[in-house]
Amino acid sequence: MAKDDRGVWRERVRPGSAKFFLVLFPILLLTAAWVVQLTPKPVGSTEPRFVDPLPQDTGAAGLQETLLRLRTTARLMQTVAHPDDEDGGMLTLESRGKGSTVLLLTLNRGEGGQNKVGSNLFDVLGVLRTLELLAADRYYGVEQRFTRVADFGFSKNADETFQKWQGHDIALGDMVRVIRTFRPDVLVARFSGTDRDGHGHHQASSILTREAFRAAADPNRFSEQIKDGLLPWQARKLYIGNVCGFGAQSCPAENYTVKLNIGEQNPRLGMSYAQFALEGLHHQLSQGVGNFSIDPGPRYTFYKLVDSVLPPTTDKDGHEQDLFDGIDTSLPGLASRLGTEESKLSWLRPGLVEIANHIQDATQRSGREMNAAAGPLLIALQKMDSLTSRVQSTDISSSSKDDLLERLREKQQQLQVALNLAMQISVEATVAPPQSTGLPKEEEALTAVSPGQKFLVRVKFHNGSKYKLAMDRVTLDAPKGWARRIDEEAALVAAAGQDQYANFVVQIPADAAGGRFYTRPYWHRDDPETESINTIDDERYVTLPFPPPPFHATVEYHTHSSAHDLSMFGGEHKLGGADGPKTEISSPVVAPFVDDKAVERKRTLAMVPAFSVMLEPGQQVIPTGTDGEFRVRVGVSTNLSTTVKGALHLEVPNGWSAEPAKLAVEFRKRGEKQEFEFKISPASLSEGRAKIRAVLESGGVNYSEGYSLVTREDLDSFYYYQPALQRVSIVDVKASKDLKVGYIMGAGDDIPTVLGQIGMKVTLIPADKLANEDLSQYQTIVLGIRAYDTQKDLAANNKKLLDFVYNGGTLVAQYNTGVADFNKGKFTPYPAQLSRARVSVEEAPVAILTPEDSIFHYPNQITEHDFDGWVQERGLYFMDQWDGKFKPLLACHDPGEPPQEGGLLRAQYGKGTYIYTGYAFFRQLPAGVPGAIRLYVNLLSAGHERSGSQ
């Protein structure tokens, strides 16, 4: 990667020096595993949070794994479609079991999926799932990358997927970019690229990987990347997965090339690779995988070799023992990568052999005592530094030199990590609390900073070794001119077993409000409900999970005395010295606090705008039958600690008016939130759509975005931004204001909000209160999406719900994903079988099977046009069998498939009405789709035609 190719000017503030440096964000080139290894878990800390390393990455276990990585140059890249598609067992085996450098490329962020733990959908769900995947990646020990294509929902074939993704080249270009940057030896597709993969995104990910294997080596493909400094790269081997059925534990011999046992136990992990990977997968709670388990014992994963640039590597039966068969992945093997040019560097292979011997020596010594590994590691680092400098000055082809230097620098980083672990060195950079009376509460902690603010960062360097260490430089990586060290005269020597500190004042200039340094996604979609490609806002970070944290502390150190003979290392190794190699360790700046359970926690310091402005809610549905006026609420919060003033106004469509025209606002403390109300008078109330934008002006800066923290106790944190915009959908809908509806929430959805906006009376009934709830006060009860999946009390009180129907009520049950449990529970009044049948094409024609049914007439007339403008999908988890007492009302199907009639069923049960629907109303109503809103109101009104009044 070219120097400063991310394009950010940054400086390192150092004592006694005013020299500025143009540097990279170090985190960009390191895996999550490597980053956490740089800051070993402090002694005495409890269960690790995300900002702390895993126990397996610290101490003796972490050192042994890093030494394993130092002995190989193997690089593997796996491609998948969504978060949770990855073969975690294989990734963990290759990374933690064999020491390979491994990268996972996930095409999209899963933003079009279902959220099993809340109501957040679309792009905010994508941010959450990125955080979840990064938490899982720590267990796998891998780097993470993404492409710019979005998850637009379930797709049944690759053709539809590529149509939504505007062909192959957008996703393929990003995949090629990652290959050219990472330079894997082996490329592994998780899927086969066939119908066996099921989801069209799965198929597409494998198809693209086959294309990328050769395209990345062709300088004529995506030549703009070559002009930007990337070089072509040809991986050696390409494998595909899912060759025997997903998760199969046996496989015909002719179907696979490599069979890997991911059930093998690893003493450092304390379990098998598959089990450890599952510990990581459990963090992907929004995918509903939190309770999966794997028993000890053999467990296999299979891959088939489908392309290679190597001579044959299989045995007589067409099998290999390892994914890297035929590739020399030893450290001295780097010399052979030069081909005929190796003769120009006759000193390279002997030098690499010598370094490998020192690494082996360190490995043997570390088994007796961790500190004993430091001597040979320091010598190895010194020789690696010298070797790297020598390679830089050689006259060999640029492609060979770049690849060789990339791998040598990786070994330099790994040697530094190993040294830090062997000598039990750590660094922690924290935001000093505003008061010195202990850790602040979460709402008081400075977890995010804004332009105009000043704060103190305290850097603690812990010397856990037995030797005195000289701190050559303590720096705080921050944008140019922001940071200044205030204790330059402090001692820069850390005694054995002691801590040393450095303090920095950071002043963020007020004119930094342009957004370049904010903690925010570098991508966006203007309309997540219809767009399938993300717009890249900052090319510096393309393919990364997120932009890196804005502040890092780095300490460079060496042993204090070059004459100190460490006899316990073998009597001949001298540990560092003024002329020895300098070692570096860094950490992002974090903000500590105590949560509402009085548990100490930390959060990576973020940078956000001074104000967050949100129109609440972001989607408003206005019935045409209202009096022509409606009200809008604007929520404004500040991150500034001083008193600030501003003016708030709304931008409305031509002909509309807002009262008042402008509001003066004033905030006196950080974290303060105020709500302001405007009365909107539209020009007309004919069916259609409009947008209202809120703008706050303060200090000469306009703020028209809102941001919210996305986090969880087991995850890192990030911020999701959205424009201060309310999308108004004006809908010609008739709804009974006297109909009393009870809503039992499942996994979470926004349907009750929309129903309230159109004037319906909706009461949320907590599932745990259902047993004692008087249901006779309601005329209709609705079960939220996945209610039986998520609410145990619902199943326990299902008879009470059916009795409610029998006595004259209406029950509307929406889809569930736990097919087997739902069918076993027999929750419907008559026999019916839930299935996984779905219609993924949102434009699929819909046939009304029973046009005479009152559901299509009361209180709204429903026609075929009411199925226009639906988003993402028609429906999911339709019934595929049902008793004759059920009446199917609608039919639709994806192209080339038979009609699906089980998406909307109605049955008379006693005096009441039971309705099952798999149609995706949970997406359509918040999106303001007029026809879906009318039809949903009719479902709630079914059985109450005579008593209703509009």
Side-chain angles (χ1 to χ4, degrees), residues 33 35-43 45 48 51-66 96 138 268-269 370 417 420-422 424-426:
V35 171
V36 297
Q37 286 177 351
L38 290 177
T39 52
K41 182 181 174 185
V43 177
S45 61
V51 295
D52 295 320
L54 299 176
Q56 292 81 358
D57 292 324
T58 65
L63 176 59
Q64 290 300 317
E65 183 171 305
T66 307
R96 294 186 177 275
R138 298 207 308 160
R268 282 185 285 104
L269 303 180
M370 287 176 60
V417 171
N420 293 331
L421 288 167
Q424 300 175 65
I425 306 300
S426 65

Side-chain angles (χ1 to χ4, degrees), residues 89-110:
M90 184 275 288
L91 296 174
T92 308
L93 170 65
E94 294 298 326
S95 174
R96 294 186 177 275
K98 300 180 181 180
S100 304
T101 300
V102 181
L103 182 143
L104 173 62
L105 174 64
T106 307
L107 290 187
N108 60 60
R109 300 170 189 264

